[in-house]
Amino acid sequence: MSLPVTDTSSTTGTTRHVDTLVIGSGFAGLGAAIKLTQAGKRDFLVLERGNDVGGTWRDNTYPGAACDVPSNLYSYSFALNPGWTRSFSPQPEIQRYIQSVADKYKVRDRHVFGCDVLSAQWDNDRNQWRVHTTKGDYTAKVVITAVGALCEPSLPDIKGIGDFQGEIFHSAQWNHDADLTGKRVAVIGTGASAIQIVPQLAKNVSHLDVYQRTAPWILPRSDREYTKAEKFAFKYVPGFQRLSRTLQYVTRETQVVGLAKAPVFMKPLQAAAEIHLRRQIRDKDLRKKVRPNYQIGCKRMLISNNYFPALSQSHVDVVTDGIDEVTADAIVSKDGTRREVDAIVVATGFHVTDSPMFAGIIGKDGRTAAQVFDAQGQQGYKGSSIANFPNMFFLVGPNTGLGHSSMVFMIESQLNYVVDALKTIERYDLGTVEVRQDVQDRYNRELQEKLSHSVWNNGGCASWYLDKHGNNTTLWPGFTFEFRNQTRRFDLVAYNSVATSDLPSPAPSAVADKKKVAAK
C-alpha cells in the first residue's frame, strides 16, 4: 500500500512529509498506530529502530526474561489474548503476542523498520517538526514519542571496565553466541533483570559472583501454568477472561493505598517478603546480606521463587563491598579482594530520567529536552505534553510509571488523550498546540505534593524514581483509574493554540522549497 507522503529533495534522496510521526513501536507506539488507524487517520508513519515491533520485549532476550505483571492484565484491553500459557508470561510469549496484534490490526505497512531517529527539531518558520533519521529526513505536523523508559541500557561508570578481556554485555543486549557453561561469571546488579538471570546462570556456570549495591525486596511469584479448563474458558466462555483481568486489576489497585497514600499499609506486604526470605535462605549471614534496609515499595518490588535458592548454592557468592575497578580478567572490590572472572553480565538497568533520546529533541526556543529537564526536572502535563515542545505528545512520559500494575493500562489512557488531541486539532484547524507553562507548573506542584506522602519519597532508599532535584518524576501518585479519568478527553483550554490561518507565513526559503515541491 502506498503511503500518503510528499517527497522533496535532500542529501539522502527524499524528505518525506506526513501529518503525524510516531517514534518507537513497543506497546505504546504500536498502540498509537492501531488507535490512529481506528480513528480514520492514515497520514502517519511509525519509525522503529529495530527490525520488528515489540520494543523492550523484542530486545530483552536474556535467560529467564519474563513479566512481573499477570498475563491477562499485561495486554491491550481491545486485544485480549486467550492463548497465554502461564499466569506470568515469559518474554518470547509476550513478543509473539505483540507481533500477532500488529498483524491482526494490519499496521505493519505504517512502519519504517531499521530507522533510528537521530534528532527531532521544531521548525519555527514552517511550524512543523524536522526529524533526522538513519533512513533519511522527515517532516511532520505532529510527533508522538513512544520511546519507552526501559530502552536505553545504563552502563556502570567503573574504572577499567573497558579493559576487560572476557565476554561482557548488558542484560538488554544479551550475547547468545557467548557460551558461559563452566565459566566464572559475574553479574553486576540485583534489579528486576538480575533476579531472573542469576538462577538461570547458576545452573551452568562453575562460579557466579553477584555484585549487590542495594538489596531488593522480593515477594513470592505466584506463577503457574494455566489448566486446560482455564485455557478453554479464556477462549470460548464469553466474558471469562475479561472478568479474570478485572479481578487482577482491582487486586493490584489496592496496593496504591500503601504505596502512594499511607505507607503504613505496606507492612503486610513487607511481612510477606520477610517470611519469603526466611523460608528460602537458612544461612543467617547470607540472609542478613540480602535483607533490604528500607521500607518495601520504596524501590521496585520484585517477585521470584528461585533467586534466593540460587544465592544459597555453594558456587554462588553475593558481594556487597562495592566494585573498585575491573582489570583484564578480574573484578576488584573496594576491600581489595580480587575475583577472577571469564565473563561479566551488566544488569544495571536503564536511563529513565536521563534518556539519551532527550538530547536529540529540540524545542521551539532551541533548547533540547535534556537541557529543559536538567534545569527543572522531567516535568510534563498529564505525562503527555511538555511546554516548549509544540505539537509533540509523549507516551510513557513524566510521572506515568507504576509500581504495582500494568503500564499498558496507562498507555491506553494516554492514547485516548492523544488521539482526541489530534481530532481536536483537525476539528478546529489548529496549526499548533502547546501546553501552557503555568498549567504545567501547577500540575507538577500538585503531583509532588501527592508524592510527598508516598513510600517512594519516604521509604528510606535512593532509587531511579527520583531525579537529581530530588523529585519523583517517574511514578503516578494515585490510582490508575484516576489517571484514566484525567485523560479521557483532550483539554484544549490547558494549551496555547494557534489556528492554521493565523500562523505567520513561512520564511522565504521555506516558500521556495514548497515551490520546488509543487514543480515536481
Side-chain angles (χ1 to χ4, degrees), residues 32-78:
I34 293 169
K35 290 300 181 181
L36 288 172
T37 300
Q38 292 178 335
K41 308 287 186 182
R42 295 297 295 169
D43 190 5
F44 74 89
L45 285 175
V46 182
L47 308 183
E48 169 53 54
R49 68 181 179 183
N51 59 4
D52 200 355
V53 297
T56 190
W57 293 108
R58 177 199 61 230
D59 296 339
N60 284 264
T61 59
Y62 58 80
C67 192
D68 57 6
V69 174
S71 301
N72 284 329
L73 195 55
Y74 201 72
S75 58
Y76 297 113
S77 64
F78 56 83

mmCIF file of all heavy atoms in Angstrom, residues 32-78:
data_model
loop_
_atom_site.group_PDB
_atom_site.id
_atom_site.type_symbol
_atom_site.label_atom_id
_atom_site.label_comp_id
_atom_site.label_asym_id
_atom_site.label_seq_id
_atom_site.Cartn_x
_atom_site.Cartn_y
_atom_site.Cartn_z
ATOM 1 N N ALA A 32 -0.435 3.249 19.405
ATOM 2 C CA ALA A 32 -0.728 4.508 18.713
ATOM 3 C C ALA A 32 -1.082 4.244 17.255
ATOM 4 O O ALA A 32 -2.040 4.826 16.722
ATOM 5 C CB ALA A 32 0.475 5.440 18.809
ATOM 6 N N ALA A 33 -0.340 3.376 16.611
ATOM 7 C CA ALA A 33 -0.618 3.054 15.208
ATOM 8 C C ALA A 33 -2.017 2.484 15.047
ATOM 9 O O ALA A 33 -2.758 2.832 14.121
ATOM 10 C CB ALA A 33 0.426 2.068 14.682
ATOM 11 N N ILE A 34 -2.404 1.613 15.968
ATOM 12 C CA ILE A 34 -3.730 0.987 15.899
ATOM 13 C C ILE A 34 -4.824 2.013 16.142
ATOM 14 O O ILE A 34 -5.814 2.087 15.398
ATOM 15 C CB ILE A 34 -3.824 -0.161 16.920
ATOM 16 C CG1 ILE A 34 -2.880 -1.298 16.526
ATOM 17 C CG2 ILE A 34 -5.260 -0.677 17.026
ATOM 18 C CD1 ILE A 34 -2.698 -2.345 17.600
ATOM 19 N N LYS A 35 -4.662 2.823 17.170
ATOM 20 C CA LYS A 35 -5.694 3.803 17.515
ATOM 21 C C LYS A 35 -5.811 4.904 16.458
ATOM 22 O O LYS A 35 -6.908 5.405 16.198
ATOM 23 C CB LYS A 35 -5.407 4.398 18.893
ATOM 24 C CG LYS A 35 -5.624 3.411 20.039
ATOM 25 C CD LYS A 35 -7.067 2.928 20.071
ATOM 26 C CE LYS A 35 -7.330 1.960 21.196
ATOM 27 N NZ LYS A 35 -8.741 1.478 21.217
ATOM 28 N N LEU A 36 -4.695 5.292 15.877
ATOM 29 C CA LEU A 36 -4.760 6.288 14.803
ATOM 30 C C LEU A 36 -5.507 5.724 13.602
ATOM 31 O O LEU A 36 -6.339 6.410 12.987
ATOM 32 C CB LEU A 36 -3.346 6.708 14.390
ATOM 33 C CG LEU A 36 -2.577 7.596 15.378
ATOM 34 C CD1 LEU A 36 -1.136 7.771 14.928
ATOM 35 C CD2 LEU A 36 -3.257 8.953 15.521
ATOM 36 N N THR A 37 -5.244 4.470 13.281
ATOM 37 C CA THR A 37 -5.939 3.828 12.169
ATOM 38 C C THR A 37 -7.430 3.730 12.448
ATOM 39 O O THR A 37 -8.266 4.025 11.575
ATOM 40 C CB THR A 37 -5.360 2.422 11.930
ATOM 41 O OG1 THR A 37 -3.971 2.530 11.618
ATOM 42 C CG2 THR A 37 -6.074 1.735 10.766
ATOM 43 N N GLN A 38 -7.775 3.324 13.657
ATOM 44 C CA GLN A 38 -9.188 3.211 14.019
ATOM 45 C C GLN A 38 -9.895 4.560 14.011
ATOM 46 O O GLN A 38 -11.106 4.623 13.804
ATOM 47 C CB GLN A 38 -9.321 2.552 15.394
ATOM 48 C CG GLN A 38 -8.915 1.081 15.410
ATOM 49 C CD GLN A 38 -8.998 0.462 16.792
ATOM 50 O OE1 GLN A 38 -8.903 1.158 17.808
ATOM 51 N NE2 GLN A 38 -9.165 -0.852 16.844
ATOM 52 N N ALA A 39 -9.139 5.637 14.244
ATOM 53 C CA ALA A 39 -9.721 6.980 14.232
ATOM 54 C C ALA A 39 -9.806 7.546 12.813
ATOM 55 O O ALA A 39 -10.198 8.700 12.621
ATOM 56 C CB ALA A 39 -8.900 7.910 15.116
ATOM 57 N N GLY A 40 -9.434 6.728 11.825
ATOM 58 C CA GLY A 40 -9.520 7.174 10.445
ATOM 59 C C GLY A 40 -8.304 7.920 9.964
ATOM 60 O O GLY A 40 -8.297 8.468 8.854
ATOM 61 N N LYS A 41 -7.238 7.942 10.770
ATOM 62 C CA LYS A 41 -6.008 8.630 10.374
ATOM 63 C C LYS A 41 -5.162 7.679 9.527
ATOM 64 O O LYS A 41 -4.891 6.556 9.933
ATOM 65 C CB LYS A 41 -5.207 9.068 11.603
ATOM 66 C CG LYS A 41 -5.999 9.869 12.623
ATOM 67 C CD LYS A 41 -6.287 11.262 12.129
ATOM 68 C CE LYS A 41 -6.960 12.094 13.214
ATOM 69 N NZ LYS A 41 -7.286 13.453 12.738
ATOM 70 N N ARG A 42 -4.734 8.143 8.370
ATOM 71 C CA ARG A 42 -3.881 7.315 7.522
ATOM 72 C C ARG A 42 -2.560 8.000 7.194
ATOM 73 O O ARG A 42 -1.619 7.346 6.756
ATOM 74 C CB ARG A 42 -4.604 6.969 6.212
ATOM 75 C CG ARG A 42 -5.824 6.097 6.386
ATOM 76 C CD ARG A 42 -5.471 4.736 6.952
ATOM 77 N NE ARG A 42 -4.654 3.946 6.046
ATOM 78 C CZ ARG A 42 -4.040 2.814 6.399
ATOM 79 N NH1 ARG A 42 -4.108 2.383 7.645
ATOM 80 N NH2 ARG A 42 -3.327 2.133 5.519
ATOM 81 N N ASP A 43 -2.511 9.310 7.442
ATOM 82 C CA ASP A 43 -1.306 10.059 7.093
ATOM 83 C C ASP A 43 -0.340 10.062 8.280
ATOM 84 O O ASP A 43 -0.088 11.081 8.913
ATOM 85 C CB ASP A 43 -1.683 11.488 6.704
ATOM 86 C CG ASP A 43 -0.514 12.242 6.093
ATOM 87 O OD1 ASP A 43 0.551 11.632 5.888
ATOM 88 O OD2 ASP A 43 -0.667 13.453 5.840
ATOM 89 N N PHE A 44 0.195 8.878 8.587
ATOM 90 C CA PHE A 44 1.155 8.767 9.685
ATOM 91 C C PHE A 44 2.133 7.638 9.393
ATOM 92 O O PHE A 44 1.864 6.738 8.594
ATOM 93 C CB PHE A 44 0.443 8.520 11.022
ATOM 94 C CG PHE A 44 -0.104 7.128 11.190
ATOM 95 C CD1 PHE A 44 0.676 6.109 11.744
ATOM 96 C CD2 PHE A 44 -1.412 6.823 10.811
ATOM 97 C CE1 PHE A 44 0.180 4.823 11.900
ATOM 98 C CE2 PHE A 44 -1.918 5.536 10.971
ATOM 99 C CZ PHE A 44 -1.116 4.536 11.512
ATOM 100 N N LEU A 45 3.270 7.693 10.065
ATOM 101 C CA LEU A 45 4.274 6.648 9.991
ATOM 102 C C LEU A 45 4.811 6.366 11.390
ATOM 103 O O LEU A 45 4.834 7.260 12.248
ATOM 104 C CB LEU A 45 5.449 7.062 9.096
ATOM 105 C CG LEU A 45 5.246 7.048 7.582
ATOM 106 C CD1 LEU A 45 6.488 7.613 6.894
ATOM 107 C CD2 LEU A 45 4.962 5.637 7.088
ATOM 108 N N VAL A 46 5.249 5.143 11.600
ATOM 109 C CA VAL A 46 5.913 4.755 12.839
ATOM 110 C C VAL A 46 7.376 4.466 12.511
ATOM 111 O O VAL A 46 7.663 3.602 11.672
ATOM 112 C CB VAL A 46 5.272 3.502 13.471
ATOM 113 C CG1 VAL A 46 5.961 3.158 14.799
ATOM 114 C CG2 VAL A 46 3.781 3.700 13.681
ATOM 115 N N LEU A 47 8.277 5.197 13.134
ATOM 116 C CA LEU A 47 9.708 4.994 12.917
ATOM 117 C C LEU A 47 10.249 4.116 14.037
ATOM 118 O O LEU A 47 10.178 4.485 15.205
ATOM 119 C CB LEU A 47 10.445 6.337 12.901
ATOM 120 C CG LEU A 47 9.886 7.403 11.943
ATOM 121 C CD1 LEU A 47 10.755 8.657 11.991
ATOM 122 C CD2 LEU A 47 9.788 6.866 10.523
ATOM 123 N N GLU A 48 10.781 2.963 13.678
ATOM 124 C CA GLU A 48 11.243 1.988 14.668
ATOM 125 C C GLU A 48 12.675 1.580 14.349
ATOM 126 O O GLU A 48 12.971 1.127 13.241
ATOM 127 C CB GLU A 48 10.332 0.751 14.656
ATOM 128 C CG GLU A 48 10.850 -0.440 15.433
ATOM 129 C CD GLU A 48 11.219 -0.122 16.857
ATOM 130 O OE1 GLU A 48 10.367 0.427 17.594
ATOM 131 O OE2 GLU A 48 12.364 -0.402 17.242
ATOM 132 N N ARG A 49 13.568 1.748 15.317
ATOM 133 C CA ARG A 49 14.982 1.455 15.066
ATOM 134 C C ARG A 49 15.262 -0.039 14.961
ATOM 135 O O ARG A 49 16.259 -0.443 14.369
ATOM 136 C CB ARG A 49 15.858 2.077 16.149
ATOM 137 C CG ARG A 49 15.716 1.454 17.530
ATOM 138 C CD ARG A 49 16.614 2.164 18.518
ATOM 139 N NE ARG A 49 16.487 1.599 19.864
ATOM 140 C CZ ARG A 49 17.125 2.079 20.921
ATOM 141 N NH1 ARG A 49 17.912 3.139 20.777
ATOM 142 N NH2 ARG A 49 16.973 1.532 22.106
ATOM 143 N N GLY A 50 14.417 -0.875 15.570
ATOM 144 C CA GLY A 50 14.600 -2.315 15.488
ATOM 145 C C GLY A 50 14.054 -2.871 14.189
ATOM 146 O O GLY A 50 13.531 -2.144 13.337
ATOM 147 N N ASN A 51 14.164 -4.181 14.053
ATOM 148 C CA ASN A 51 13.699 -4.826 12.822
ATOM 149 C C ASN A 51 12.305 -5.415 12.948
ATOM 150 O O ASN A 51 11.833 -6.123 12.068
ATOM 151 C CB ASN A 51 14.687 -5.914 12.381
ATOM 152 C CG ASN A 51 14.873 -6.987 13.447
ATOM 153 O OD1 ASN A 51 14.212 -6.964 14.484
ATOM 154 N ND2 ASN A 51 15.775 -7.909 13.196
ATOM 155 N N ASP A 52 11.649 -5.123 14.077
ATOM 156 C CA ASP A 52 10.300 -5.642 14.290
ATOM 157 C C ASP A 52 9.650 -4.821 15.393
ATOM 158 O O ASP A 52 10.307 -4.024 16.076
ATOM 159 C CB ASP A 52 10.354 -7.121 14.694
ATOM 160 C CG ASP A 52 9.024 -7.856 14.477
ATOM 161 O OD1 ASP A 52 8.026 -7.192 14.103
ATOM 162 O OD2 ASP A 52 8.981 -9.074 14.678
ATOM 163 N N VAL A 53 8.347 -5.019 15.586
ATOM 164 C CA VAL A 53 7.652 -4.397 16.708
ATOM 165 C C VAL A 53 8.094 -5.087 17.998
ATOM 166 O O VAL A 53 8.763 -6.113 17.975
ATOM 167 C CB VAL A 53 6.127 -4.521 16.527
ATOM 168 C CG1 VAL A 53 5.661 -3.787 15.293
ATOM 169 C CG2 VAL A 53 5.698 -5.996 16.463
ATOM 170 N N GLY A 54 7.711 -4.509 19.131
ATOM 171 C CA GLY A 54 7.990 -5.191 20.391
ATOM 172 C C GLY A 54 8.748 -4.392 21.417
ATOM 173 O O GLY A 54 8.618 -4.633 22.619
ATOM 174 N N GLY A 55 9.582 -3.459 20.985
ATOM 175 C CA GLY A 55 10.310 -2.633 21.933
ATOM 176 C C GLY A 55 11.156 -3.436 22.910
ATOM 177 O O GLY A 55 11.945 -4.299 22.518
ATOM 178 N N THR A 56 10.962 -3.194 24.186
ATOM 179 C CA THR A 56 11.778 -3.845 25.217
ATOM 180 C C THR A 56 11.594 -5.360 25.218
ATOM 181 O O THR A 56 12.498 -6.110 25.566
ATOM 182 C CB THR A 56 11.452 -3.258 26.608
ATOM 183 O OG1 THR A 56 12.413 -3.728 27.552
ATOM 184 C CG2 THR A 56 10.053 -3.657 27.068
ATOM 185 N N TRP A 57 10.416 -5.830 24.776
ATOM 186 C CA TRP A 57 10.168 -7.275 24.733
ATOM 187 C C TRP A 57 10.802 -7.927 23.521
ATOM 188 O O TRP A 57 10.972 -9.144 23.479
ATOM 189 C CB TRP A 57 8.666 -7.558 24.801
ATOM 190 C CG TRP A 57 8.117 -7.179 26.139
ATOM 191 C CD1 TRP A 57 7.312 -6.123 26.427
ATOM 192 C CD2 TRP A 57 8.389 -7.838 27.375
ATOM 193 N NE1 TRP A 57 7.058 -6.087 27.771
ATOM 194 C CE2 TRP A 57 7.702 -7.131 28.379
ATOM 195 C CE3 TRP A 57 9.145 -8.964 27.742
ATOM 196 C CZ2 TRP A 57 7.749 -7.500 29.724
ATOM 197 C CZ3 TRP A 57 9.190 -9.337 29.077
ATOM 198 C CH2 TRP A 57 8.502 -8.609 30.053
ATOM 199 N N ARG A 58 11.157 -7.140 22.532
ATOM 200 C CA ARG A 58 11.940 -7.648 21.403
ATOM 201 C C ARG A 58 13.418 -7.698 21.784
ATOM 202 O O ARG A 58 14.133 -8.636 21.420
ATOM 203 C CB ARG A 58 11.748 -6.725 20.206
ATOM 204 C CG ARG A 58 12.556 -7.094 18.965
ATOM 205 C CD ARG A 58 12.660 -5.910 18.013
ATOM 206 N NE ARG A 58 13.333 -4.778 18.637
ATOM 207 C CZ ARG A 58 12.861 -3.534 18.636
ATOM 208 N NH1 ARG A 58 11.722 -3.240 18.039
ATOM 209 N NH2 ARG A 58 13.537 -2.555 19.242
ATOM 210 N N ASP A 59 13.863 -6.698 22.529
ATOM 211 C CA ASP A 59 15.294 -6.545 22.794
ATOM 212 C C ASP A 59 15.797 -7.376 23.976
ATOM 213 O O ASP A 59 16.936 -7.846 23.967
ATOM 214 C CB ASP A 59 15.615 -5.075 23.048
ATOM 215 C CG ASP A 59 15.355 -4.205 21.820
ATOM 216 O OD1 ASP A 59 15.314 -4.764 20.704
ATOM 217 O OD2 ASP A 59 15.177 -2.987 21.980
ATOM 218 N N ASN A 60 14.986 -7.515 25.017
ATOM 219 C CA ASN A 60 15.434 -8.212 26.223
ATOM 220 C C ASN A 60 15.174 -9.715 26.101
ATOM 221 O O ASN A 60 14.087 -10.199 26.418
ATOM 222 C CB ASN A 60 14.739 -7.648 27.457
ATOM 223 C CG ASN A 60 15.313 -6.310 27.881
ATOM 224 O OD1 ASN A 60 16.169 -6.231 28.760
ATOM 225 N ND2 ASN A 60 14.843 -5.251 27.240
ATOM 226 N N THR A 61 16.191 -10.424 25.668
ATOM 227 C CA THR A 61 16.053 -11.859 25.425
ATOM 228 C C THR A 61 16.959 -12.673 26.351
ATOM 229 O O THR A 61 17.322 -13.798 26.043
ATOM 230 C CB THR A 61 16.398 -12.189 23.962
ATOM 231 O OG1 THR A 61 17.743 -11.770 23.692
ATOM 232 C CG2 THR A 61 15.451 -11.479 23.004
ATOM 233 N N TYR A 62 17.328 -12.104 27.472
ATOM 234 C CA TYR A 62 18.217 -12.796 28.404
ATOM 235 C C TYR A 62 17.529 -14.032 29.001
ATOM 236 O O TYR A 62 16.290 -14.115 29.012
ATOM 237 C CB TYR A 62 18.670 -11.851 29.518
ATOM 238 C CG TYR A 62 17.549 -11.238 30.328
ATOM 239 C CD1 TYR A 62 16.921 -11.949 31.357
ATOM 240 C CD2 TYR A 62 17.121 -9.932 30.093
ATOM 241 C CE1 TYR A 62 15.899 -11.385 32.109
ATOM 242 C CE2 TYR A 62 16.101 -9.361 30.842
ATOM 243 C CZ TYR A 62 15.500 -10.093 31.852
ATOM 244 O OH TYR A 62 14.488 -9.532 32.598
ATOM 245 N N PRO A 63 18.295 -14.986 29.486
ATOM 246 C CA PRO A 63 17.703 -16.196 30.075
ATOM 247 C C PRO A 63 16.784 -15.859 31.252
ATOM 248 O O PRO A 63 17.166 -15.106 32.143
ATOM 249 C CB PRO A 63 18.924 -16.989 30.561
ATOM 250 C CG PRO A 63 20.060 -16.473 29.750
ATOM 251 C CD PRO A 63 19.774 -15.027 29.487
ATOM 252 N N GLY A 64 15.581 -16.399 31.212
ATOM 253 C CA GLY A 64 14.635 -16.177 32.298
ATOM 254 C C GLY A 64 13.777 -14.936 32.168
ATOM 255 O O GLY A 64 12.967 -14.648 33.050
ATOM 256 N N ALA A 65 13.921 -14.195 31.071
ATOM 257 C CA ALA A 65 13.160 -12.954 30.906
ATOM 258 C C ALA A 65 11.666 -13.226 30.929
ATOM 259 O O ALA A 65 11.161 -14.077 30.194
ATOM 260 C CB ALA A 65 13.541 -12.263 29.592
ATOM 261 N N ALA A 66 10.963 -12.504 31.784
ATOM 262 C CA ALA A 66 9.520 -12.692 31.927
ATOM 263 C C ALA A 66 8.918 -11.440 32.547
ATOM 264 O O ALA A 66 9.638 -10.571 33.053
ATOM 265 C CB ALA A 66 9.223 -13.917 32.792
ATOM 266 N N CYS A 67 7.615 -11.351 32.516
ATOM 267 C CA CYS A 67 6.903 -10.196 33.039
ATOM 268 C C CYS A 67 6.552 -10.404 34.508
ATOM 269 O O CYS A 67 6.327 -11.531 34.951
ATOM 270 C CB CYS A 67 5.630 -9.963 32.227
ATOM 271 S SG CYS A 67 4.846 -8.369 32.566
ATOM 272 N N ASP A 68 6.493 -9.308 35.273
ATOM 273 C CA ASP A 68 6.081 -9.412 36.670
ATOM 274 C C ASP A 68 4.678 -8.854 36.898
ATOM 275 O O ASP A 68 4.282 -8.569 38.025
ATOM 276 C CB ASP A 68 7.089 -8.732 37.602
ATOM 277 C CG ASP A 68 7.325 -7.266 37.255
ATOM 278 O OD1 ASP A 68 6.625 -6.750 36.363
ATOM 279 O OD2 ASP A 68 8.192 -6.645 37.879
ATOM 280 N N VAL A 69 3.948 -8.703 35.802
ATOM 281 C CA VAL A 69 2.521 -8.345 35.855
ATOM 282 C C VAL A 69 1.741 -9.520 35.278
ATOM 283 O O VAL A 69 2.154 -10.110 34.281
ATOM 284 C CB VAL A 69 2.237 -7.062 35.040
ATOM 285 C CG1 VAL A 69 0.735 -6.771 34.982
ATOM 286 C CG2 VAL A 69 2.991 -5.875 35.630
ATOM 287 N N PRO A 70 0.624 -9.912 35.895
ATOM 288 C CA PRO A 70 -0.143 -11.065 35.400
ATOM 289 C C PRO A 70 -0.462 -10.964 33.907
ATOM 290 O O PRO A 70 -0.781 -9.885 33.400
ATOM 291 C CB PRO A 70 -1.415 -11.022 36.240
ATOM 292 C CG PRO A 70 -1.008 -10.365 37.516
ATOM 293 C CD PRO A 70 0.015 -9.325 37.109
ATOM 294 N N SER A 71 -0.397 -12.084 33.219
ATOM 295 C CA SER A 71 -0.572 -12.128 31.768
ATOM 296 C C SER A 71 -1.855 -11.461 31.308
ATOM 297 O O SER A 71 -1.852 -10.651 30.363
ATOM 298 C CB SER A 71 -0.553 -13.586 31.292
ATOM 299 O OG SER A 71 0.647 -14.222 31.633
ATOM 300 N N ASN A 72 -2.969 -11.802 31.936
ATOM 301 C CA ASN A 72 -4.253 -11.269 31.480
ATOM 302 C C ASN A 72 -4.367 -9.765 31.657
ATOM 303 O O ASN A 72 -5.194 -9.116 31.004
ATOM 304 C CB ASN A 72 -5.409 -11.955 32.220
ATOM 305 C CG ASN A 72 -5.661 -13.349 31.696
ATOM 306 O OD1 ASN A 72 -5.446 -13.630 30.522
ATOM 307 N ND2 ASN A 72 -6.117 -14.253 32.562
ATOM 308 N N LEU A 73 -3.531 -9.199 32.527
ATOM 309 C CA LEU A 73 -3.539 -7.758 32.741
ATOM 310 C C LEU A 73 -2.531 -7.055 31.832
ATOM 311 O O LEU A 73 -2.692 -5.881 31.513
ATOM 312 C CB LEU A 73 -3.223 -7.453 34.213
ATOM 313 C CG LEU A 73 -3.503 -6.053 34.749
ATOM 314 C CD1 LEU A 73 -4.952 -5.652 34.501
ATOM 315 C CD2 LEU A 73 -3.184 -5.988 36.242
ATOM 316 N N TYR A 74 -1.529 -7.809 31.404
ATOM 317 C CA TYR A 74 -0.466 -7.219 30.597
ATOM 318 C C TYR A 74 -0.763 -7.417 29.111
ATOM 319 O O TYR A 74 -0.056 -8.126 28.382
ATOM 320 C CB TYR A 74 0.883 -7.841 30.966
ATOM 321 C CG TYR A 74 2.063 -6.979 30.564
ATOM 322 C CD1 TYR A 74 2.345 -5.798 31.259
ATOM 323 C CD2 TYR A 74 2.874 -7.333 29.501
ATOM 324 C CE1 TYR A 74 3.420 -5.006 30.895
ATOM 325 C CE2 TYR A 74 3.961 -6.545 29.127
ATOM 326 C CZ TYR A 74 4.221 -5.382 29.827
ATOM 327 O OH TYR A 74 5.292 -4.584 29.465
ATOM 328 N N SER A 75 -1.821 -6.797 28.675
ATOM 329 C CA SER A 75 -2.220 -6.861 27.270
ATOM 330 C C SER A 75 -3.156 -5.693 26.989
ATOM 331 O O SER A 75 -3.672 -5.061 27.908
ATOM 332 C CB SER A 75 -2.919 -8.186 26.960
ATOM 333 O OG SER A 75 -4.063 -8.350 27.783
ATOM 334 N N TYR A 76 -3.362 -5.412 25.719
ATOM 335 C CA TYR A 76 -4.309 -4.352 25.357
ATOM 336 C C TYR A 76 -5.721 -4.788 25.736
ATOM 337 O O TYR A 76 -6.100 -5.955 25.555
ATOM 338 C CB TYR A 76 -4.268 -4.089 23.857
ATOM 339 C CG TYR A 76 -2.959 -3.577 23.314
ATOM 340 C CD1 TYR A 76 -2.195 -4.367 22.462
ATOM 341 C CD2 TYR A 76 -2.506 -2.294 23.604
ATOM 342 C CE1 TYR A 76 -1.001 -3.900 21.912
ATOM 343 C CE2 TYR A 76 -1.309 -1.817 23.067
ATOM 344 C CZ TYR A 76 -0.565 -2.626 22.226
ATOM 345 O OH TYR A 76 0.610 -2.173 21.696
ATOM 346 N N SER A 77 -6.519 -3.848 26.208
ATOM 347 C CA SER A 77 -7.904 -4.162 26.568
ATOM 348 C C SER A 77 -8.722 -4.533 25.340
ATOM 349 O O SER A 77 -9.715 -5.261 25.442
ATOM 350 C CB SER A 77 -8.547 -2.953 27.277
ATOM 351 O OG SER A 77 -8.629 -1.838 26.395
ATOM 352 N N PHE A 78 -8.301 -4.030 24.168
ATOM 353 C CA PHE A 78 -9.036 -4.310 22.932
ATOM 354 C C PHE A 78 -8.503 -5.554 22.220
ATOM 355 O O PHE A 78 -8.998 -5.908 21.156
ATOM 356 C CB PHE A 78 -8.972 -3.099 21.991
ATOM 357 C CG PHE A 78 -7.575 -2.637 21.664
ATOM 358 C CD1 PHE A 78 -6.835 -3.236 20.659
ATOM 359 C CD2 PHE A 78 -7.001 -1.599 22.384
ATOM 360 C CE1 PHE A 78 -5.553 -2.815 20.372
ATOM 361 C CE2 PHE A 78 -5.706 -1.160 22.099
ATOM 362 C CZ PHE A 78 -4.979 -1.769 21.088
#
